């Protein structure tokens, strides 16, 4: 433990408490009906659905299964995604706003059915979800959101108290939502996939697609998987085609601590309408009740010292419930689309056999499951009422155009800013367990001196499109402020869209664009 009570190292409770099966690396070419890239909730659920349809399925994961956002979630299964429905009505109309709700409601019901039918021991519990406001502006937004609930026929109501020591203006409750242990649930699905003949490969990085009547996924090691359909479920799409998703998504990080509290937790799931976000839900750890305290999101690679976000959550938890002990801390990365609605479906009309699913905006348990259900329908040639709402090729003048311009101005700003910043430290200045930018032989490098005193050096140019990475002290990683790629302190890729590790030599944007396995 550190002096402020936070665990020294970031670790997810979900992964720490789960026995996730391991799988081999792909060693040969394959020919299947469907190849799925990405071993999170969408990829695994889609594989589960498609093997039940009798299809031959191969699932590829670049690292280990469930080691992306799914393994680091708060694991709320809900259609209450912040203050969203009034905005959806304004931007898309009442009909599409209702469809968004129904897609996530149906996903919750589908998960519950699978849990009940298979008696999966995953701490699944029905809970009411509360969205609360502590300021007048947010209280007014919740009043509008409550009106949106009424217009859309969503079961919920505006209340003026919640059973927590938080001084609120009002709160909006959505009834009969749920929470669970996501990895215990998904481990059961993995078992079924393999029992029904599905192929799963770990440490197998897909880098490109050869398009055609039967597209071919190409791995970093040169293996080829031919399929009728390719599903890109890799959080950030491993293949963008003509979709230009790098310009239409941004990455947010948020933070979680798991703590034993002095006050008993009253039940329910809570999230603030105000910023910085505060989220609460209970969790059982070896029979003991703990509380997950989450929030403090920001764009990946941007903002203050990342350790301060964990400290802020601990201070909130202490004030609200009193903290006896913080057992775990971890963070999660989420992608946000231009209009807040995920991109799910055919990448574009000219590439109908390549499908993607991304942009869940922190609500991956419901959105990711809804995406898998939609992908199943698309692969099976079934028309879905949700197809147009989630279509990746959609682009609306409002709000998409304004968001498009703002997001890409942000990327350009960080691209230029990073190139111009001059390091202030020398390698000999670094203490143990410290990372910083330094100059070596006139070149800007990222340096980290580990706890044993060994110095690790990387080139600071992200291998995606050439932005300069930033040091993340809380998790000892190098994070890209442009599109959210993350690397270990030795340079290995932890999270895409980057597919190559950070280099030790000097690396430029031209190197990236000329690379044969860049995915472009």
């Amino acid at each position: 433990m550190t002096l402020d009570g936070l665990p020294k190292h970031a670790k997810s409770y979900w992964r720490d408490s789960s026995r996730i099966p391991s799988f081999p690396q792909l060693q040969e070419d394959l020919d299947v009906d469907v190849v799925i890239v990405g071993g999170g909730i969408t990829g695994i659920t889609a594989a589960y659905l498609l093997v039940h349809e009798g299809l031959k399925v191969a699932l590829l994961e670049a690292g280990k299964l469930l080691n992306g956002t799914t393994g680091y979630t708060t694991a709320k299964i809900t259609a209450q995604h912040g203050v969203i429905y009034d905005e959806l009505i304004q931007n898309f109309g009442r009909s599409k706003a209702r469809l968004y709700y129904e897609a996530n409601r149906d996903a919750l019901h589908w998960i519950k059915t699978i849990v009940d039918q298979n008696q999966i021991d995953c701490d699944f519990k029905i809970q009411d979800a509360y969205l609360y406001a502590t300021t007048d502006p947010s209280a007014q937004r919740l009043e509008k959101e409550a009106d949106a609930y009424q217009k859309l026929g969503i079961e919920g109501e505006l209340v003026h108290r919640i059973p927590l020591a938080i001084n609120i203006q009002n709160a909006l409750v959505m009834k009969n939502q749920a929470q669970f242990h996501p990895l215990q649930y998904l481990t059961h699905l993995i078992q079924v996939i393999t029992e029904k003949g599905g192929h799963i490969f770990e440490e197998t990085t897909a880098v490109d697609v050869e398009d055609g009547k039967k597209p071919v996924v190409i791995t970093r090691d040169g293996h080829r998987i031919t399929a009728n359909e390719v599903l890109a479920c890799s959080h950030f799409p491993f293949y963008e085609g003509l979709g230009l998703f790098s310009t239409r998504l941004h990455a947010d990080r948020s933070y979680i601590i798991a703590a034993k509290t002095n006050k008993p937790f009253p039940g329910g799931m809570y999230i603030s309408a105000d910023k910085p976000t505060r989220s609460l839900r209970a969790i059982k750890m070896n029979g003991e009740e703990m509380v997950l305290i989450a929030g403090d999101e920001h764009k990946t690679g941007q903002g203050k010292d990342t350790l301060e976000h964990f400290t802020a959550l601990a201070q909130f938890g202490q004030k609200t419930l009193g903290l006896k002990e913080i057992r775990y801390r971890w963070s999660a990365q989420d992608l946000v689309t231009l209009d807040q609605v995920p991109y799910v479906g055919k990448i574009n009309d000219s590439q109908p056999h390549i499908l993607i699913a991304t942009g869940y905006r922190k609500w991956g348990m419901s959105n990711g499951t809804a995406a898998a259900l939609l992908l199943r329908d698309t692969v099976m040639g079934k028309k879905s009422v949700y197809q147009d709402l989630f279509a990746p090729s959609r682009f609306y003048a409002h709000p998409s155009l304004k968001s498009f311009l703002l997001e890409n101005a942000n990327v350009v700003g960080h691209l230029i800013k990073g190139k111009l910043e001059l390091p202030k430290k020398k390698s000999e200045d670094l203490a143990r367990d410290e990372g910083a930018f330094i100059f070596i032989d006139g070149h800007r490098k990222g340096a980290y001196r580990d706890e044993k005193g060994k110095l690790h050096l990387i080139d600071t140019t992200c291998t995606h499109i050439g932005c300069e990475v930033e040091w993340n002290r809380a998790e000892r990683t190098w994070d890209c402020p442009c599109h959210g790629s993350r690397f270990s302190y030795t340079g290995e890729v932890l999270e895409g869209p980057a597919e190559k590790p950070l280099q030790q030599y000097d690396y430029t944007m031209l190197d990236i664009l000329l690379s044969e396995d860049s995915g472009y």
Side-chain angles (χ1 to χ4, degrees):
M1 300 284 287
T2 57
L3 292 177
D4 57 8
L6 291 169
K8 187 171 185 180
H9 295 280
K11 185 192 297 184
S12 162
Y13 168 71
W14 307 125
R15 289 193 55 80
D16 201 38
S17 61
S18 301
R19 292 184 177 180
I20 304 166
S22 60
F23 295 91
Q25 187 178 34
L26 180 67
Q27 300 289 348
E28 60 183 354
D29 294 351
L30 283 180
D31 194 330
V32 295
D33 296 316
V34 181
V35 58
I36 301 171
V37 178
I41 189 167
T42 304
I44 290 169
T45 305
Y48 175 89
L49 289 163
L50 291 169
V51 295
H52 275 89
E53 296 286 351
L55 298 184
K56 186 178 180 182
V57 175
L59 174 64
L60 313 182
E61 167 54 45
K64 295 296 183 183
L65 290 180
L66 300 170
N67 198 29
T69 300
T70 300
Y72 296 82
T73 175
T74 55
K76 297 177 180 179
I77 319 167
T78 177
Q80 189 186 68
H81 296 172
V83 185
I84 186 67
Y85 289 102
D86 179 62
E87 180 180 344
L88 291 177
I89 290 172
Q90 299 301 319
N91 293 332
F92 297 103
R94 192 176 299 187
S95 176
K96 285 190 174 179
R98 172 71 190 184
L99 283 175
Y100 182 89
Y101 167 72
E102 289 177 354
N104 286 279
R105 178 204 61 190
D106 292 352
L108 191 163
H109 292 167
W110 187 85
I111 292 172
K112 184 178 186 302
T113 298
I114 297 298
V115 170
D116 290 345
Q117 287 180 348
N118 297 278
Q119 298 183 321
I120 304 173
D121 183 11
C122 62
D123 294 328
F124 183 95
K125 288 184 177 66
I126 296 296
Q127 300 278 4
D128 291 342
Y130 292 84
L131 182 60
Y132 68 87
T134 60
T135 63
D136 288 337
S138 289
Q140 292 170 17
R141 290 176 66 215
L142 285 194
E143 289 174 5
K144 290 181 179 178
E145 189 75 352
D147 288 341
Y149 278 28
Q150 274 197 324
K151 292 174 183 175
L152 300 175
I154 297 173
E155 183 185 3
E157 62 178 324
L158 206 62
V159 297
H160 296 282
R161 290 187 183 89
I162 57 175
L164 289 167
I166 301 173
N167 185 20
I168 69 166
Q169 300 290 326
N170 59 17
L172 182 57
V173 58
M174 185 180 286
K175 301 287 187 178
N176 299 316
Q177 306 303 290
Q179 63 186 41
F180 69 160
H181 189 309
L183 272 56
Q184 289 175 355
Y185 161 76
L186 288 165
T187 298
H188 174 83
L189 270 58
I190 291 167
Q191 179 182 343
V192 174
I193 293 166
T194 57
E195 287 174 353
K196 286 189 168 289
H199 302 281
I200 299 178
F201 301 97
E202 295 182 312
E203 305 296 344
T204 302
T205 303
V207 296
D208 206 355
V209 179
E210 284 183 5
D211 196 15
K213 264 191 172 180
K214 293 194 72 170
V216 180
V217 172
I218 301 169
T219 72
R220 179 178 292 158
D221 294 330
H223 296 303
R224 300 166 65 85
I225 307 95
T226 304
N228 297 320
E229 309 286 342
V230 174
L231 310 187
C233 306
S234 52
H235 197 46
F236 195 103
F238 83 98
Y239 174 79
E240 296 192 56
L242 302 175
L244 298 175
F245 295 104
S246 291
T247 67
R248 298 167 58 199
L249 290 161
H250 77 260
D252 277 353
R253 288 204 78 72
S254 53
Y255 300 81
I256 303 171
I257 60 173
K260 188 164 182 61
T261 60
N262 292 317
K263 297 178 184 177
F265 193 75
M269 306 184 299
Y270 304 85
I271 189 166
S272 65
D274 302 281
K275 302 296 182 184
T277 303
R278 297 289 180 261
S279 166
L280 295 147
R281 62 152 285 193
I283 184 174
K284 285 281 187 182
M285 291 188 184
N286 299 319
E288 283 187 286
E289 184 177 82
M290 303 279 175
V291 179
L292 295 187
I293 304 165
D296 235 45
E297 76 270 13
H298 63 91
K299 284 189 174 182
T300 300
Q302 303 182 28
K304 61 188 179 184
D305 182 340
T306 48
L307 200 57
E308 293 180 27
H309 297 289
F310 288 109
T311 302
L313 294 178
Q315 291 170 345
F316 170 76
Q318 179 63 31
K319 181 179 178 181
T320 306
L321 292 162
L323 301 186
K324 288 183 180 178
E325 180 187 5
I326 300 174
R327 296 272 179 91
Y328 289 86
R329 68 173 175 91
W330 69 88
S331 68
Q333 184 148 304
D334 296 271
L335 294 172
V336 183
T337 69
L338 297 176
D339 56 17
Q340 313 296 307
V341 176
Y343 301 135
V344 184
K346 298 174 183 177
I347 199 165
N348 56 54
D349 290 338
S350 65
Q351 297 174 298
H353 301 294
I354 305 173
L355 286 67
I356 69 158
T358 188
Y360 301 151
R361 200 177 62 90
K362 304 186 186 301
W363 302 103
M365 299 300 97
S366 57
N367 266 326
T369 302
L373 291 164
L374 176 53
L375 292 173
R376 184 270 314 271
D377 289 347
T378 306
V379 168
M380 300 308 297
K382 299 176 183 176
K383 176 70 175 175
S384 170
V385 294
Y386 306 124
Q387 190 172 304
D388 292 341
L389 172 66
F390 293 110
S393 57
R394 72 182 186 274
F395 194 84
Y396 301 102
H398 177 78
S400 296
L401 182 57
K402 180 180 178 182
S403 299
F404 176 85
L405 296 173
L406 289 173
E407 290 301 337
N408 289 286
N410 179 270
V411 168
V412 172
H414 277 274
L415 181 64
I416 296 170
K417 176 176 176 284
K419 302 293 184 188
L420 297 178
E421 285 183 342
L422 297 178
K424 298 178 181 178
K425 289 202 170 192
K426 299 178 181 178
S427 61
E428 55 266 30
D429 297 331
L430 293 182
R432 296 191 178 201
D433 196 25
E434 182 182 5
F437 297 108
I438 63 172
F439 259 138
I440 293 182
D441 297 330
H443 298 291
R444 189 175 191 260
K445 298 287 184 182
Y448 170 70
R449 191 177 299 282
D450 66 25
E451 293 168 318
K452 295 181 179 179
K454 182 179 179 180
L455 187 68
H456 302 269
L457 298 175
I458 52 91
D459 187 272
T460 57
T461 301
C462 177
T463 55
H464 178 223
I465 64 166
C467 295
E468 295 293 291
V469 296
E470 297 287 340
W471 176 244
N472 176 343
R473 181 165 77 104
E475 294 167 290
R476 301 167 179 85
T477 61
W478 296 102
D479 298 354
C480 179
C482 291
H483 300 108
S485 296
R486 300 181 67 236
F487 306 85
S488 70
Y489 61 76
T490 55
E492 288 83 6
V493 177
L494 299 176
E495 189 135 16
E499 293 166 349
K500 283 186 168 184
L502 295 174
Q503 307 298 304
Q504 271 71 52
Y505 59 85
D506 295 317
Y507 203 61
T508 69
M509 288 182 66
L510 186 60
D511 295 319
I512 298 160
L513 294 173
L514 293 177
S515 171
E516 291 183 0
D517 60 359
S518 68
Y520 286 94

